[in-house]
Amino acid sequence: MSIVNPVSVPSAPPAKTGSTSNQDAFGKDAFMKLLVEQMRHQSPTDPSDGQQWINQMTQFSMLEQMQQQSAGQVKANAAGYLGKTVSWLDAKGQSGQGVVEQVDFSGTEPTLTVAGHAGVKVGEIQDVG
């Protein structure tokens, strides 16, 4: 089997803002392109084992399902803060406390509105009362 240089495979297009799935640097489009390139450049005299391809696709499918479950869990965790009193501290050093009034799922990660202050990230929550 020939070796494919992964650097020569075109990268996946950048993720669109507000999409429902997070795209990392090596997303499913890039994986599929790499798989096609591997198949295209394999030696006809020494074809690769079909079981290897099935194993790779199965592993990738399992990884994708775990990522989707993880994203769903993040949303569920964010929704769990609704109506609760929290204190938060952001990267700029701003802090506050209050009741979570709203959860916004429109961006790449959920944000909370706490006592009228929008844009509080779930990871910035310090305490839940």
Side-chain angles (χ1 to χ4, degrees):
M1 173 166 80
S2 300
I3 297 176
V4 176
N5 181 356
V7 177
S8 68
V9 177
S11 62
K16 296 179 182 176
T17 305
S19 68
T20 57
S21 65
N22 291 334
Q23 290 285 329
D24 56 304
F26 191 74
K28 85 175 129 179
D29 291 338
F31 177 82
M32 292 305 292
K33 287 178 184 179
L34 179 61
L35 188 63
V36 168
E37 287 298 313
Q38 284 178 334
M39 291 175 74
R40 185 179 296 152
H41 295 291
Q42 70 178 330
S43 171
T45 60
D46 185 23
S48 61
D49 181 17
Q51 190 64 38
Q52 283 182 309
W53 298 109
I54 293 171
N55 289 343
Q56 283 183 331
M57 291 303 293
T58 301
Q59 289 173 350
F60 184 73
S61 177
M62 289 171 43
L63 175 63
E64 187 175 25
Q65 288 175 0
M66 288 181 357
Q67 288 173 334
Q68 289 172 355
Q69 287 177 343
S70 176
Q73 187 64 42
V74 168
K75 288 181 179 182
N77 289 347
Y81 287 115
L82 275 172
K84 295 189 176 173
T85 301
V86 299
S87 60
W88 54 273
L89 175 66
D90 67 13
K92 297 177 185 175
Q94 291 182 319
S95 64
Q97 126 177 6
V99 175
V100 177
E101 301 165 345
Q102 182 178 358
V103 181
D104 181 10
F105 296 108
S106 63
T108 57
E109 64 179 298
T111 58
L112 311 173
T113 300
V114 181
H117 183 82
V120 177
K121 296 178 182 177
V122 174
E124 297 171 345
I125 300 298
Q126 300 290 308
D127 189 38
V128 180

